[in-house]
Amino acid sequence: MAQARRRGTYIYFNFTDVGIFGAVVKKGVIKRRAVVSLPPGTLQGGWLQPEASFDLIFESLLAKLKVPRGSQAVLAMDGSLVLARKLEIPETVETNQIRGYLFMELGHSIVLPFEEPYFDYTLLEENGKREIMLYAAPNEALKQYMELFKQKRLRLVAAEPQPLATFFGLDSLYEVEADSNLLIWNVNATNHQLIIIEDKVPRLIRSVDTFVANAWDVDVIDDRLHYRYKSDDANVEFILEEMLLEFSRVLDFYRFSLARDGREISRVMLTGDFPFQEELVRRFEANFDVRLEQVPEVLDVVSQPIPKSYLPLVGLATIHKDRINLLPDSDVAPKFPLVASLILLVFGGMIGGYLYWQTDQFADRIETANNQIQIVRTLQSESAQSAKQEVAQLKETVEGLEATPRPAVPALERITRYLPERGYILQFAYGADHLVTMNAQFETLDELNGFYRQLLTDTAFTGITLTSVTTKTMNEEAEVVTSTTVDPTTGEEVPTTTITPSDETETEEPRYIGQFGLTVVPAEVIKGETNQADPDAPKEDGTTDSTTDPEANPTEEVDPATEPEPGEVVSTEVEEVEEN
């Protein structure tokens, strides 16, 4: 951010599409002022056009102002050239690193309508956020003015946005409350600008073109521009309505997007040298309820009568803490050669002191590095010790697992002893904490129920649950026909087998699949393997009585809570049945 720099003598310039305003200010007092008109097309939206007459016109303005060579000049950049945008800065970016951060992000995460802009910013810190108001202008346009001033032997030291200069001028002449919401409507012959000021901080700058420059005949009378409109009144009606519509859009945008805590615009100030200002005011008051204040035709600046068209130059000459300078730092020349020599001398002393300080710091860095090496060695030692402890813990775990193996196979063998003749274990999983899940197939629900009851009576298993029972239809009867056919190419007989399922629905018998869960008691299973099990436990070749009800309904539900009854132990041989 540029600093306040309004001490000494400066020449201030404001370029518009119809004229150039200039003023010589010494210690805040306007010594001389003048204005010259420009032919249509000499400036368009702030861009200089290659007109041969422009050089002579600018020379005549410098002659009126009596500007000596080598004078310091300050330029008010046309509002159409300047883009103003509020941005949020990451908290990791230090205040003195913001400019570097913007250099890196412009064109990437921060997109502007022109490349390689010249920019400056104002820091805003409020509500716990770090925000800035970024002001940027295309470097090609600014280089045009820099080259112009260089040819006229003037040292251009600053370039500020013209809307911002207008606000600074009003702030110096009128009391703008610190907590007010002000809208400045600066209306000129070829454009109008809408500037929203909230808590004395610019929040929005909008510049819109209106009339073209060749729509006016412009004369200079008593250091003022006088306009005569050359077109028809219908075009004026249309442009006035467009200006009011744009004002309404900006007002709504502020209300619904920018305003904080439901705040409203409390004050509107109309300035500029617009020729149809009276008609514009009449239409405004008929369409809006907002209070409109008109800046008088003549301003009282330090007891001097100054026309209001010079208000941007008054703002440029005002001392303000948050000044914006769109010029790159490398293009601001030193004030005098002696000053440059003193600066070089100071820098030389600073460099010498820096080298001495660096030498002293080098020893500190060596000591710090040694301390860090010791810390790393200590950490490495602690890490090795921790690794040894982890290996010992892992060894303990392995030994514990080896000491308490999981008797999966004995448990499976013990379970299969309870299966009926045509019962099968379809899935078997032995998990952590000796938890077993399995799916078993049975021909009847009675067989499934008997198997479940047998498990309940076995002391080698606990927590026995029957989770679900599903049915699966099987077709056991099929007609098999074998025939021979003759291959037409080789003449050989080829046997053909055809399997045709029976059409009788009575042969489609369901199979019942039960899903069981239980917990194995390893000690009991191992005892059973060493013939030390409970005498009631089943033997591999032994049998127990089993009762089945041939009239049982195949669709009845199995109640897992039924009291267990002795069942018959059948062979563990598994017979595969093909499904049709």
Side-chain angles (χ1 to χ4, degrees):
M1 294 179 294
Q3 300 297 321
R5 55 180 188 291
R6 296 299 176 254
R7 297 179 181 178
T9 301
Y10 289 84
I11 295 87
Y12 300 93
F13 296 95
N14 180 25
F15 288 73
T16 69
D17 290 352
V18 294
I20 307 175
F21 296 84
V24 178
V25 179
K26 183 176 182 179
K27 296 181 180 179
V29 178
I30 297 178
K31 297 296 183 180
R32 295 178 294 277
R33 54 181 170 82
V35 62
V36 291
S37 62
L38 292 175
T42 306
L43 266 80
Q44 294 182 5
W47 290 84
L48 295 175
Q49 304 301 319
E51 291 285 341
S53 61
F54 178 78
D55 186 77
L56 298 176
I57 295 173
F58 190 54
E59 279 284 355
S60 67
L61 176 63
L62 297 180
K64 288 182 180 181
L65 296 174
K66 300 178 182 179
V67 176
R69 292 185 177 182
S71 298
Q72 300 178 98
V74 179
L75 171 66
M77 290 288 294
D78 191 285
S80 300
L81 290 175
V82 180
L83 181 144
R85 180 181 298 176
K86 185 168 73 169
L87 300 174
E88 187 171 345
I89 302 298
E91 296 181 358
T92 56
V93 179
E94 300 292 338
T95 302
N96 58 355
Q97 298 174 349
I98 292 179
R99 183 171 292 274
Y101 168 79
L102 294 176
F103 268 116
M104 295 295 295
E105 296 301 323
L106 284 175
H108 298 282
S109 62
I110 303 174
V111 181
L112 299 180
F114 35 78
E115 298 180 355
E116 298 181 0
Y118 288 161
F119 67 90
D120 201 358
Y121 66 93
T122 301
L123 182 62
L124 309 174
E125 294 191 24
E126 56 188 11
N127 298 330
K129 294 183 179 179
R130 299 181 68 245
E131 298 177 328
I132 64 167
M133 278 298 296
L134 175 69
Y135 301 90
N139 58 3
E140 295 88 351
L142 198 50
K143 285 179 179 178
Q144 289 182 321
Y145 291 97
M146 293 163 59
E147 185 63 26
L148 173 66
F149 282 85
K150 185 178 180 180
Q151 291 176 0
K152 302 306 177 183
R153 306 292 177 88
L154 298 175
R155 293 187 301 106
L156 185 61
V157 297
E160 293 193 11
Q162 188 263 342
L164 205 58
T166 301
F167 162 60
F168 289 159
L170 288 176
D171 192 26
S172 65
L173 298 175
Y174 301 91
E175 246 180 274
V176 178
E177 296 82 4
D179 58 347
S180 67
N181 297 338
L182 170 65
L183 193 155
I184 301 173
W185 198 6
N186 186 31
V187 188
N188 299 313
T190 57
N191 61 63
H192 67 122
Q193 298 155 7
L194 296 155
I195 310 147
I196 294 180
I197 309 296
E198 186 179 274
D199 299 337
K200 302 194 77 169
V201 176
R203 296 293 182 183
L204 175 68
I205 297 177
R206 172 77 171 152
S207 181
V208 182
D209 293 335
T210 53
F211 295 90
V212 294
N214 57 11
W216 307 97
D217 285 330
V218 184
D219 295 324
V220 178
I221 303 174
D222 297 331
D223 294 330
R224 298 187 190 182
L225 294 180
H226 293 260
Y227 305 90
R228 290 191 305 276
Y229 189 62
K230 298 189 294 184
S231 298
D232 57 290
D233 293 337
N235 192 38
V236 174
E237 293 280 333
F238 174 78
I239 292 178
L240 289 177
E241 289 299 325
E242 286 294 319
M243 293 170 64
L244 292 172
L245 181 60
E246 186 64 29
F247 182 92
S248 177
R249 289 172 183 163
V250 170
L251 201 63
D252 290 340
F253 177 75
Y254 174 76
R255 286 173 177 169
F256 301 114
S257 299
L258 292 182
R260 296 174 298 171
D261 302 326
R263 300 170 73 172
E264 296 279 348
I265 296 295
S266 59
R267 189 177 184 185
V268 179
M269 299 191 71
L270 179 63
T271 183
D273 58 351
F274 186 49
F276 299 116
Q277 179 170 318
E278 292 182 2
E279 178 63 17
L280 182 64
V281 171
R282 186 184 66 78
R283 292 169 180 259
F284 178 89
E285 292 176 347
N287 289 276
F288 298 92
D289 296 328
V290 184
R291 181 167 59 98
L292 180 66
E293 298 179 33
Q294 301 183 56
V295 175
E297 291 293 326
V298 178
L299 305 175
D300 184 11
V301 182
V302 195
S303 302
Q304 290 181 281
I306 304 295
K308 67 177 181 180
S309 56
Y310 288 84
L311 182 61
L313 300 183
V314 174
L316 290 178
T318 302
I319 297 177
H320 201 278
K321 64 176 182 178
D322 293 326
R323 303 223 69 102
I324 296 298
N325 188 1
L326 295 174
L327 283 181
D329 295 337
S330 59
D331 291 319
V332 179
K335 189 173 182 179
F336 299 108
L338 178 59
V339 174
S341 301
L342 291 175
I343 291 175
L344 291 175
L345 181 62
V346 171
F347 271 104
M350 292 175 62
I351 291 172
Y354 176 76
L355 292 175
Y356 176 80
W357 176 76
Q358 281 289 86
T359 304
D360 186 51
Q361 291 293 316
F362 185 71
D364 294 340
R365 290 177 184 174
I366 292 176
E367 183 179 355
T368 302
N370 291 333
N371 292 337
Q372 291 176 348
I373 290 172
Q374 293 297 329
I375 293 173
V376 170
R377 288 176 178 173
T378 303
L379 291 176
Q380 288 177 342
S381 176
E382 293 177 354
S383 177
Q385 185 177 359
S386 176
K388 290 179 180 179
Q389 292 177 353
E390 291 178 358
V391 170
Q393 291 176 357
L394 181 59
K395 186 177 180 182
E396 262 180 43
T397 303
V398 172
E399 291 175 351
L401 291 175
E402 291 177 348
T404 57
R406 297 177 182 175
V409 174
L412 179 60
E413 291 178 350
R414 192 176 185 109
I415 291 171
T416 56
R417 297 171 188 173
Y418 296 120
L419 289 171
E421 180 180 358
R422 296 179 65 81
Y424 306 98
I425 299 295
L426 301 180
Q427 293 180 349
F428 183 85
Y430 196 110
D433 298 328
H434 304 286
L435 180 64
V436 171
T437 57
M438 62 180 177
N439 292 345
Q441 177 179 300
F442 305 89
E443 287 192 343
T444 66
L445 287 174
D446 286 339
E447 290 180 353
L448 187 149
N449 198 16
F451 176 77
Y452 176 61
R453 291 172 178 173
Q454 293 290 348
L455 292 178
L456 290 172
T457 61
D458 196 336
T459 59
F461 308 117
T462 61
I464 302 163
T465 58
L466 176 57
T467 307
S468 66
V469 177
T470 58
T471 61
K472 186 174 184 181
T473 303
M474 311 294 291
N475 193 336
E476 295 183 349
E477 294 187 8
E479 181 181 355
V480 181
V481 179
T482 303
S483 62
T484 60
T485 59
V486 179
D487 191 333
T489 58
T490 61
E492 296 180 357
E493 292 185 354
V494 179
T496 303
T497 301
T498 303
I499 301 175
T500 305
S502 174
D503 293 334
E504 298 180 2
T505 57
E506 289 80 359
T507 61
E508 295 184 356
E509 299 181 0
R511 297 293 185 268
Y512 301 92
I513 299 174
Q515 184 175 3
F516 297 88
L518 55 87
T519 302
V520 176
V521 181
E524 292 295 327
V525 173
I526 294 172
K527 284 168 59 179
E529 291 299 311
T530 58
N531 298 322
Q532 297 177 7
D534 191 302
D536 295 332
K539 304 299 185 291
E540 185 163 354
D541 297 327
T543 59
T544 58
D545 293 336
S546 173
T547 303
T548 60
D549 184 5
E551 300 298 329
N553 187 353
T555 61
E556 70 177 354
E557 295 182 359
V558 178
D559 185 3
T562 306
E563 290 297 327
E565 296 178 4
E568 181 180 359
V569 179
V570 298
S571 172
T572 58
E573 294 181 0
V574 177
E575 179 181 356
E576 297 184 359
V577 178
E578 296 183 357
E579 298 179 7
N580 290 328

